[in-house]
Amino acid sequence: MNEDSSVKISNKEEARSPVCIGREDDIKKLRRTTATVHNREVVVFYHDGSFYAMDHRCYHAGGPLHLGEIEDFNGQPCIICPWHKYKITLSTGEGLYQTINPRDPTVAPKWKSKGIKQRTHKVNVDSGNVYVTLSDLADNIDSDYYAEKFKKAINSPMKK
Ligand code: FES
């Protein structure tokens, strides 16, 4: 193992360590909050007695998910992106869409999954504090593009 690979491993391990994002009581009252976890913007929701964390920026075009409404679709709680109303399941990050049959309007529309589009993260509560652990970033998920784009925007020096 050379020095470079050991640095990469330790950075990767550090990126998977939990980060405290606030007090449990405060986040339950707010019902949602945003935080930066190892340089990545996340949004945390408290909905129906459970915490959920995902990338803050919508996979479609970067909409700010903390401003969306939560509704149940197909029996799953979803965040509705405020920009173009895409529906994303809170627990898995799947994009949902409704199919219709234009030739037969009497057929009831059905909900389908586009697959996992929004990266979700793990939430733990310990001693009244809420911790977020980033998911394994090895595989590409659509929301990674905007997570990186907004990371660069936040970290770029202000131009005078
Ligand atoms: Fe979220 Fe378009 S940016 S639906």
Side-chain angles (χ1 to χ4, degrees):
M1 182 187 301
N2 65 29
E3 201 173 296
D4 274 349
S5 62
S6 68
V7 169
K8 279 179 194 160
I9 288 167
S10 63
N11 285 346
K12 200 172 169 185
E13 284 169 3
E14 188 190 314
R16 300 293 310 281
S17 61
V19 170
C20 179
I21 60 145
R23 298 286 301 160
E24 179 183 8
D25 290 347
D26 294 338
I27 297 171
K28 281 182 172 176
K29 271 185 219 142
L30 290 170
R31 303 219 159 254
R32 57 189 62 198
T33 190
T34 59
T36 303
V37 175
H38 297 300
N39 213 17
R40 191 175 185 100
E41 267 190 79
V42 298
V43 58
V44 175
F45 297 104
Y46 180 71
H47 178 74
D48 272 353
S50 298
F51 286 99
Y52 302 90
M54 59 176 53
D55 284 346
H56 179 213
R57 295 291 171 166
C58 174
Y59 73 90
H60 175 228
L65 293 180
H66 75 289
L67 298 177
E69 298 292 322
I70 295 175
E71 273 184 45
D72 277 18
F73 296 98
N74 210 25
Q76 301 176 82
C78 296
I79 183 72
I80 305 171
C81 179
W83 282 7
H84 311 104
K85 308 301 178 198
Y86 278 30
K87 286 116 180 113
I88 303 166
T89 62
L90 292 180
S91 58
T92 62
E94 286 172 78
L96 296 186
Y97 69 100
Q98 227 174 5
T99 59
I100 54 163
N101 184 344
R103 292 193 188 130
D104 185 359
T106 62
V107 175
K110 287 188 179 147
W111 286 102
K112 299 267 189 182
S113 173
K114 301 177 195 173
I116 295 172
K117 298 292 188 176
Q118 193 76 18
R119 188 179 289 286
T120 57
H121 305 287
K122 192 172 151 200
V123 186
N124 282 92
V125 179
D126 187 14
S127 305
N129 293 314
V130 177
Y131 294 84
V132 171
T133 305
L134 296 181
S135 67
D136 185 350
L137 304 175
D139 297 330
N140 277 343
I141 293 181
D142 290 12
S143 65
D144 291 343
Y145 174 79
Y146 288 102
E148 284 302 313
K149 188 173 174 178
F150 280 89
K151 188 188 294 179
K152 284 178 191 147
I154 291 167
N155 292 333
S156 67
M158 300 256 296
K159 293 195 172 123
K160 293 184 182 176

Coordinates of all heavy atoms in Angstrom, one line a residue, residues 5-82:
S5 N -2.9 5.7 -1.3 CA -4.0 4.8 -1.0 C -4.4 4.8 0.5 O -5.6 4.8 0.8 CB -3.8 3.4 -1.5 OG -2.7 2.8 -0.8
S6 N -3.4 4.9 1.4 CA -3.8 5.0 2.8 C -4.5 6.3 3.1 O -5.5 6.3 3.9 CB -2.6 4.8 3.7 OG -1.7 5.9 3.6
V7 N -4.2 7.4 2.5 CA -4.9 8.6 2.7 C -6.3 8.5 2.2 O -7.2 8.9 2.8 CB -4.1 9.8 2.0 CG1 -5.0 11.1 1.9 CG2 -2.8 10.1 2.6
K8 N -6.5 7.9 1.0 CA -7.8 7.7 0.4 C -8.7 6.9 1.4 O -9.8 7.2 1.6 CB -7.8 7.1 -1.0 CG -7.4 8.0 -2.1 CD -7.4 7.3 -3.4 CE -6.7 8.2 -4.4 NZ -6.2 7.5 -5.5
I9 N -8.1 5.8 1.9 CA -8.9 5.0 2.8 C -9.3 5.8 4.1 O -10.4 5.7 4.5 CB -8.1 3.7 3.2 CG1 -8.1 2.8 2.0 CG2 -8.8 3.0 4.4 CD1 -7.1 1.7 2.1
S10 N -8.4 6.5 4.6 CA -8.7 7.2 5.9 C -9.7 8.3 5.6 O -10.6 8.5 6.4 CB -7.5 7.8 6.6 OG -6.9 8.7 5.8
N11 N -9.7 9.0 4.4 CA -10.7 10.0 4.1 C -12.0 9.3 3.9 O -13.0 9.9 4.3 CB -10.3 10.7 2.8 CG -9.2 11.7 3.0 OD1 -8.9 12.0 4.1 ND2 -8.6 12.1 1.9
K12 N -12.0 8.1 3.3 CA -13.3 7.4 3.0 C -13.9 7.0 4.4 O -15.1 7.1 4.6 CB -13.0 6.2 2.2 CG -14.2 5.6 1.5 CD -13.8 4.5 0.5 CE -15.0 3.8 0.0 NZ -14.6 2.7 -0.8
E13 N -13.1 6.5 5.3 CA -13.6 6.1 6.6 C -14.1 7.3 7.4 O -15.1 7.3 8.0 CB -12.4 5.5 7.4 CG -12.2 4.0 7.0 CD -10.9 3.5 7.6 OE1 -10.2 4.2 8.4 OE2 -10.5 2.4 7.2
E14 N -13.4 8.5 7.3 CA -13.9 9.7 7.9 C -15.2 10.1 7.4 O -16.1 10.5 8.1 CB -12.8 10.8 7.8 CG -13.1 12.0 8.6 CD -12.3 13.2 8.3 OE1 -11.1 13.0 8.1 OE2 -12.8 14.3 8.1
A15 N -15.4 10.0 6.1 CA -16.6 10.4 5.4 C -17.8 9.5 5.9 O -19.0 9.9 5.7 CB -16.5 10.4 3.9
R16 N -17.5 8.4 6.4 CA -18.6 7.5 6.9 C -18.8 7.6 8.4 O -19.6 6.9 9.0 CB -18.3 6.0 6.5 CG -18.1 5.7 5.1 CD -19.4 5.8 4.3 NE -20.6 5.1 4.8 CZ -20.8 3.8 4.7 NH1 -19.9 3.0 4.1 NH2 -21.9 3.3 5.2
S17 N -18.1 8.5 9.1 CA -18.3 8.6 10.5 C -19.6 9.5 10.8 O -19.8 10.5 10.0 CB -17.1 9.2 11.2 OG -16.8 10.5 10.7
P18 N -20.4 9.2 11.8 CA -21.6 10.0 12.1 C -21.3 11.4 12.5 O -20.3 11.6 13.2 CB -22.2 9.2 13.2 CG -21.3 8.1 13.6 CD -20.1 8.1 12.7
V19 N -22.1 12.3 12.1 CA -22.0 13.7 12.5 C -23.2 14.2 13.2 O -24.3 13.9 12.7 CB -21.7 14.6 11.2 CG1 -21.8 16.1 11.5 CG2 -20.4 14.2 10.6
C20 N -23.0 14.8 14.3 CA -24.2 15.3 15.1 C -24.7 16.6 14.4 O -24.0 17.5 14.1 CB -23.8 15.7 16.5 SG -25.1 16.4 17.5
I21 N -26.0 16.6 14.1 CA -26.6 17.7 13.4 C -27.6 18.5 14.2 O -28.1 19.5 13.8 CB -27.3 17.3 12.1 CG1 -28.5 16.3 12.4 CG2 -26.4 16.6 11.1 CD1 -29.6 16.5 11.5
G22 N -27.8 18.1 15.5 CA -28.7 18.9 16.3 C -29.3 18.0 17.4 O -29.1 16.8 17.5
R23 N -30.1 18.7 18.2 CA -30.9 18.1 19.3 C -32.2 17.4 18.7 O -32.9 18.0 17.9 CB -31.2 19.1 20.4 CG -30.0 19.7 21.1 CD -29.3 18.8 22.0 NE -30.2 18.3 23.1 CZ -29.9 17.2 23.8 NH1 -28.8 16.5 23.6 NH2 -30.8 16.8 24.8
E24 N -32.4 16.2 19.3 CA -33.6 15.5 18.8 C -34.9 16.4 19.0 O -35.7 16.5 18.1 CB -33.7 14.2 19.7 CG -34.9 13.4 19.3 CD -35.0 12.2 20.3 OE1 -34.2 12.0 21.2 OE2 -35.9 11.3 20.0
D25 N -35.1 17.0 20.2 CA -36.3 17.8 20.4 C -36.4 18.9 19.5 O -37.5 19.2 19.0 CB -36.3 18.3 21.9 CG -36.4 17.2 22.9 OD1 -36.8 16.1 22.5 OD2 -36.1 17.5 24.1
D26 N -35.3 19.6 19.2 CA -35.4 20.7 18.3 C -35.8 20.3 16.9 O -36.7 20.9 16.2 CB -34.0 21.4 18.2 CG -33.6 22.1 19.5 OD1 -34.5 22.3 20.3 OD2 -32.4 22.3 19.7
I27 N -35.2 19.2 16.4 CA -35.5 18.8 15.0 C -37.0 18.2 14.9 O -37.7 18.4 13.9 CB -34.5 17.7 14.5 CG1 -33.1 18.4 14.5 CG2 -34.8 17.2 13.1 CD1 -31.9 17.5 14.2
K28 N -37.4 17.6 16.0 CA -38.8 17.1 16.0 C -39.8 18.3 15.9 O -40.8 18.2 15.2 CB -39.1 16.3 17.3 CG -38.6 14.9 17.2 CD -38.9 14.1 18.5 CE -38.6 12.6 18.3 NZ -38.8 11.9 19.6
K29 N -39.4 19.4 16.6 CA -40.3 20.6 16.6 C -40.3 21.2 15.2 O -41.3 21.6 14.6 CB -39.8 21.6 17.6 CG -40.5 21.4 18.9 CD -40.1 22.6 19.9 CE -39.8 22.0 21.3 NZ -38.7 22.6 22.0
L30 N -39.1 21.3 14.6 CA -38.9 21.9 13.3 C -39.5 21.1 12.2 O -39.9 21.5 11.1 CB -37.4 22.2 13.0 CG -36.7 23.2 13.8 CD1 -35.2 23.1 13.5 CD2 -37.2 24.6 13.4
R31 N -39.5 19.7 12.4 CA -39.9 18.7 11.4 C -39.0 18.6 10.2 O -39.1 17.6 9.5 CB -41.3 19.0 10.9 CG -42.3 19.1 12.0 CD -43.6 18.5 11.6 NE -44.4 18.1 12.8 CZ -44.5 16.9 13.3 NH1 -44.0 15.9 12.7 NH2 -45.2 16.7 14.4
R32 N -38.0 19.5 10.0 CA -37.1 19.4 8.9 C -35.9 20.3 9.2 O -36.1 21.4 9.8 CB -37.7 19.7 7.6 CG -38.3 21.0 7.5 CD -39.1 21.3 6.3 NE -40.2 20.4 6.1 CZ -40.9 20.1 5.0 NH1 -40.5 20.7 3.9 NH2 -41.9 19.3 5.0
T33 N -34.8 20.0 8.8 CA -33.6 20.9 8.9 C -32.6 20.5 7.8 O -32.6 19.4 7.3 CB -33.0 20.8 10.3 OG1 -32.1 21.8 10.5 CG2 -32.3 19.4 10.6
T34 N -31.7 21.4 7.5 CA -30.6 21.1 6.6 C -29.3 21.1 7.4 O -29.2 21.7 8.5 CB -30.5 22.1 5.5 OG1 -30.3 23.4 6.0 CG2 -31.7 22.1 4.6
A35 N -28.3 20.4 6.9 CA -27.0 20.3 7.6 C -25.9 20.0 6.6 O -26.2 19.5 5.5 CB -27.1 19.3 8.7
T36 N -24.7 20.3 7.0 CA -23.6 19.9 6.2 C -22.9 18.8 6.9 O -22.5 18.9 8.0 CB -22.6 21.1 5.9 OG1 -23.4 22.1 5.3 CG2 -21.5 20.7 5.0
V37 N -22.8 17.6 6.2 CA -22.2 16.4 6.8 C -21.0 16.0 5.9 O -21.2 15.7 4.8 CB -23.2 15.2 6.9 CG1 -22.5 14.0 7.4 CG2 -24.4 15.6 7.7
H38 N -19.8 16.2 6.5 CA -18.6 15.9 5.7 C -18.6 16.6 4.4 O -18.4 16.0 3.3 CB -18.3 14.4 5.5 CG -18.1 13.7 6.9 ND1 -17.1 14.1 7.7 CD2 -18.8 12.8 7.5 CE1 -17.1 13.3 8.8 NE2 -18.2 12.5 8.7
N39 N -19.0 17.9 4.4 CA -18.9 18.7 3.2 C -20.1 18.4 2.2 O -20.0 18.8 1.1 CB -17.6 18.6 2.5 CG -17.2 19.9 1.8 OD1 -17.7 21.0 2.1 ND2 -16.2 19.8 0.9
R40 N -21.1 17.7 2.6 CA -22.2 17.4 1.8 C -23.5 17.9 2.4 O -23.8 17.7 3.6 CB -22.3 15.9 1.6 CG -23.3 15.4 0.5 CD -23.2 13.9 0.4 NE -24.0 13.4 -0.7 CZ -23.5 13.1 -1.9 NH1 -22.2 13.1 -2.2 NH2 -24.3 12.7 -2.9
E41 N -24.3 18.6 1.6 CA -25.6 19.2 2.1 C -26.6 18.1 2.2 O -26.9 17.4 1.2 CB -26.1 20.2 1.0 CG -25.8 21.6 1.2 CD -26.6 22.5 0.3 OE1 -27.8 22.8 0.6 OE2 -26.1 22.9 -0.7
V42 N -27.2 17.9 3.4 CA -28.3 17.0 3.5 C -29.5 17.7 4.1 O -29.4 18.7 4.7 CB -27.8 15.8 4.5 CG1 -26.7 15.0 3.9 CG2 -27.5 16.3 5.9
V43 N -30.6 17.0 3.9 CA -31.8 17.5 4.6 C -32.3 16.3 5.4 O -32.3 15.2 5.0 CB -32.9 18.0 3.5 CG1 -33.3 16.9 2.6 CG2 -34.2 18.5 4.2
V44 N -32.8 16.7 6.6 CA -33.3 15.7 7.6 C -34.8 16.0 7.9 O -35.1 17.2 8.2 CB -32.5 15.6 8.9 CG1 -33.1 14.7 9.9 CG2 -31.1 15.2 8.6
F45 N -35.6 15.0 7.7 CA -37.1 15.2 7.9 C -37.4 14.4 9.2 O -36.9 13.3 9.4 CB -37.9 14.7 6.8 CG -37.7 15.5 5.5 CD1 -36.9 14.9 4.5 CD2 -38.2 16.7 5.3 CE1 -36.7 15.6 3.3 CE2 -38.0 17.4 4.1 CZ -37.2 16.9 3.1
Y46 N -38.4 14.9 10.0 CA -39.0 14.1 11.0 C -40.5 14.0 10.6 O -41.2 15.0 10.5 CB -38.9 14.8 12.4 CG -39.5 14.0 13.5 CD1 -39.0 12.8 13.9 CD2 -40.7 14.4 14.1 CE1 -39.6 12.0 14.9 CE2 -41.3 13.7 15.0 CZ -40.8 12.5 15.5 OH -41.4 11.8 16.4
H47 N -40.9 12.8 10.3 CA -42.3 12.6 9.8 C -42.9 11.3 10.3 O -42.3 10.2 10.3 CB -42.2 12.5 8.2 CG -43.5 12.2 7.6 ND1 -44.5 13.2 7.5 CD2 -44.1 11.1 7.0 CE1 -45.6 12.7 6.9 NE2 -45.3 11.4 6.6
D48 N -44.1 11.5 10.9 CA -44.8 10.3 11.5 C -43.9 9.5 12.4 O -43.9 8.2 12.3 CB -45.4 9.4 10.4 CG -46.8 9.9 9.9 OD1 -47.3 10.8 10.6 OD2 -47.3 9.4 8.9
G49 N -43.1 10.1 13.3 CA -42.4 9.4 14.3 C -41.0 8.8 13.8 O -40.4 8.1 14.6
S50 N -40.6 9.1 12.6 CA -39.3 8.6 12.1 C -38.5 9.8 11.5 O -39.1 10.7 11.0 CB -39.6 7.6 11.0 OG -40.3 6.5 11.5
F51 N -37.2 9.6 11.6 CA -36.3 10.5 10.9 C -35.8 9.9 9.6 O -35.6 8.7 9.5 CB -35.0 10.7 11.8 CG -35.2 11.6 13.0 CD1 -35.4 11.0 14.3 CD2 -35.2 13.0 12.9 CE1 -35.6 11.8 15.4 CE2 -35.4 13.8 14.0 CZ -35.6 13.2 15.3
Y52 N -35.6 10.8 8.6 CA -35.1 10.4 7.3 C -34.1 11.5 6.9 O -34.3 12.7 7.1 CB -36.3 10.5 6.3 CG -37.4 9.6 6.6 CD1 -38.5 10.1 7.3 CD2 -37.5 8.3 6.1 CE1 -39.6 9.3 7.6 CE2 -38.6 7.5 6.4 CZ -39.6 8.0 7.2 OH -40.7 7.2 7.4
A53 N -33.0 11.0 6.2 CA -32.0 12.0 5.7 C -31.8 11.6 4.2 O -31.8 10.5 3.8 CB -30.7 11.8 6.5
M54 N -31.5 12.7 3.5 CA -31.2 12.5 2.0 C -30.4 13.7 1.6 O -30.3 14.7 2.3 CB -32.5 12.3 1.2 CG -33.5 13.4 1.2 SD -34.9 13.2 0.1 CE -35.5 11.6 0.6
D55 N -29.9 13.6 0.3 CA -29.2 14.8 -0.2 C -30.2 15.9 -0.3 O -31.4 15.7 -0.6 CB -28.7 14.4 -1.7 CG -27.4 13.6 -1.6 OD1 -26.8 13.5 -0.6 OD2 -27.1 13.1 -2.7
H56 N -29.7 17.1 -0.1 CA -30.6 18.3 0.0 C -31.2 18.7 -1.3 O -32.3 19.1 -1.5 CB -29.9 19.4 0.7 CG -30.7 20.7 0.8 ND1 -30.1 21.9 0.7 CD2 -32.0 20.9 0.9 CE1 -31.1 22.8 0.8 NE2 -32.2 22.2 1.0
R57 N -30.3 18.6 -2.4 CA -30.7 19.1 -3.7 C -31.4 18.0 -4.6 O -30.8 16.9 -4.7 CB -29.5 19.7 -4.4 CG -29.0 20.9 -3.7 CD -29.9 22.0 -3.8 NE -29.6 23.2 -2.9 CZ -30.1 24.4 -3.1 NH1 -31.0 24.6 -4.0 NH2 -29.7 25.3 -2.3
C58 N -32.5 18.2 -5.1 CA -33.3 17.3 -5.9 C -32.5 16.8 -7.1 O -31.8 17.5 -7.8 CB -34.6 17.9 -6.4 SG -35.5 17.0 -7.5
Y59 N -32.6 15.5 -7.3 CA -31.9 14.8 -8.4 C -32.2 15.4 -9.8 O -31.5 15.3 -10.8 CB -32.1 13.3 -8.4 CG -33.4 12.9 -8.9 CD1 -33.7 12.6 -10.2 CD2 -34.5 12.8 -8.0 CE1 -34.9 12.1 -10.6 CE2 -35.7 12.3 -8.4 CZ -36.0 12.0 -9.7 OH -37.2 11.6 -10.1
H60 N -33.4 16.0 -10.0 CA -33.9 16.4 -11.3 C -33.1 17.6 -11.8 O -32.5 17.6 -12.8 CB -35.4 16.6 -11.3 CG -35.9 17.2 -12.5 ND1 -36.7 18.3 -12.6 CD2 -35.7 16.8 -13.8 CE1 -37.0 18.6 -13.9 NE2 -36.4 17.7 -14.6
A61 N -33.2 18.7 -11.0 CA -32.5 20.0 -11.4 C -32.0 20.8 -10.2 O -31.7 21.9 -10.3 CB -33.5 20.8 -12.2
G62 N -31.9 20.1 -9.0 CA -31.2 20.8 -7.9 C -32.2 21.5 -7.0 O -31.7 22.4 -6.2
G63 N -33.5 21.3 -7.1 CA -34.4 22.0 -6.2 C -34.2 21.7 -4.7 O -33.7 20.7 -4.4
P64 N -34.4 22.7 -3.9 CA -34.2 22.6 -2.4 C -35.3 21.8 -1.8 O -36.4 22.3 -1.5 CB -34.2 24.1 -2.0 CG -35.1 24.8 -2.9 CD -35.0 24.1 -4.2
L65 N -35.0 20.6 -1.4 CA -36.1 19.7 -0.9 C -36.6 20.1 0.5 O -37.7 19.7 0.8 CB -35.6 18.2 -0.9 CG -35.3 17.6 -2.3 CD1 -34.8 16.2 -2.1 CD2 -36.5 17.7 -3.2
H66 N -35.9 20.9 1.2 CA -36.4 21.3 2.5 C -37.6 22.1 2.4 O -38.4 22.3 3.4 CB -35.3 22.0 3.4 CG -35.0 23.4 3.0 ND1 -34.4 23.7 1.8 CD2 -35.3 24.5 3.6 CE1 -34.2 25.0 1.7 NE2 -34.8 25.5 2.8
L67 N -37.9 22.7 1.2 CA -39.1 23.5 1.0 C -40.3 22.8 0.5 O -41.3 23.3 0.2 CB -38.7 24.7 0.0 CG -37.7 25.6 0.5 CD1 -37.4 26.7 -0.5 CD2 -38.1 26.3 1.8
G68 N -40.1 21.4 0.3 CA -41.2 20.6 -0.3 C -42.2 20.2 0.8 O -42.0 20.2 2.0
E69 N -43.4 19.7 0.3 CA -44.4 19.2 1.1 C -44.2 17.6 1.2 O -43.7 17.0 0.2 CB -45.8 19.4 0.5 CG -46.2 20.9 0.4 CD -46.3 21.5 1.8 OE1 -46.9 20.9 2.7 OE2 -45.9 22.7 2.0
I70 N -44.7 17.0 2.3 CA -44.6 15.6 2.4 C -46.0 15.0 2.3 O -46.9 15.5 2.9 CB -44.0 15.1 3.7 CG1 -42.5 15.6 3.8 CG2 -44.1 13.6 3.9 CD1 -41.8 15.3 5.1
E71 N -46.2 14.0 1.4 CA -47.5 13.4 1.2 C -47.2 11.9 1.0 O -46.1 11.5 0.5 CB -48.2 13.9 0.0 CG -49.0 15.1 0.2 CD -49.8 15.5 -1.1 OE1 -50.4 14.7 -1.7 OE2 -49.8 16.7 -1.4
D72 N -48.2 11.1 1.2 CA -48.1 9.6 1.0 C -48.5 9.3 -0.5 O -49.6 9.8 -0.9 CB -49.0 8.8 1.9 CG -48.3 8.6 3.2 OD1 -47.4 9.3 3.6 OD2 -48.8 7.7 4.0
F73 N -47.7 8.6 -1.2 CA -48.0 8.1 -2.5 C -47.8 6.6 -2.5 O -46.7 6.2 -2.1 CB -47.2 8.8 -3.6 CG -47.5 10.3 -3.7 CD1 -46.7 11.2 -3.1 CD2 -48.6 10.7 -4.4 CE1 -47.0 12.6 -3.1 CE2 -48.9 12.1 -4.4 CZ -48.1 13.0 -3.8
N74 N -48.7 5.8 -3.0 CA -48.5 4.4 -3.1 C -48.2 3.8 -1.7 O -47.3 2.9 -1.6 CB -47.4 4.1 -4.1 CG -47.6 2.7 -4.8 OD1 -48.7 2.3 -4.9 ND2 -46.5 2.1 -5.3
G75 N -48.7 4.4 -0.7 CA -48.5 4.0 0.7 C -47.1 4.3 1.3 O -46.7 3.8 2.3
Q76 N -46.4 5.2 0.6 CA -45.0 5.6 1.1 C -45.0 7.1 1.3 O -45.3 7.8 0.3 CB -44.0 5.2 0.1 CG -43.9 3.7 -0.3 CD -42.9 3.4 -1.3 OE1 -41.8 3.3 -1.1 NE2 -43.4 3.3 -2.6
P77 N -44.4 7.6 2.4 CA -44.2 9.0 2.5 C -43.2 9.5 1.5 O -42.1 8.9 1.4 CB -43.8 9.2 4.0 CG -43.3 7.9 4.4 CD -43.9 6.8 3.5
C78 N -43.5 10.6 0.9 CA -42.6 11.2 -0.2 C -42.5 12.7 0.0 O -43.4 13.3 0.5 CB -43.2 11.0 -1.6 SG -43.4 9.3 -2.1
I79 N -41.3 13.2 -0.3 CA -41.1 14.6 -0.4 C -41.5 15.0 -1.8 O -41.0 14.3 -2.8 CB -39.7 15.0 0.0 CG1 -39.5 16.6 0.0 CG2 -38.6 14.4 -0.8 CD1 -40.2 17.3 1.1
I80 N -42.2 16.1 -2.0 CA -42.6 16.6 -3.3 C -41.6 17.8 -3.5 O -41.7 18.8 -2.8 CB -44.0 17.0 -3.4 CG1 -44.9 15.9 -2.9 CG2 -44.4 17.5 -4.8 CD1 -46.4 16.3 -2.8
C81 N -40.8 17.7 -4.5 CA -39.9 18.8 -4.8 C -40.6 20.1 -5.1 O -41.6 20.0 -5.9 CB -38.9 18.4 -6.0 SG -37.8 19.7 -6.3
P82 N -40.3 21.2 -4.5 CA -41.0 22.4 -4.8 C -40.8 23.0 -6.2 O -41.6 23.8 -6.6 CB -40.4 23.4 -3.7 CG -39.1 22.9 -3.5 CD -39.1 21.4 -3.6

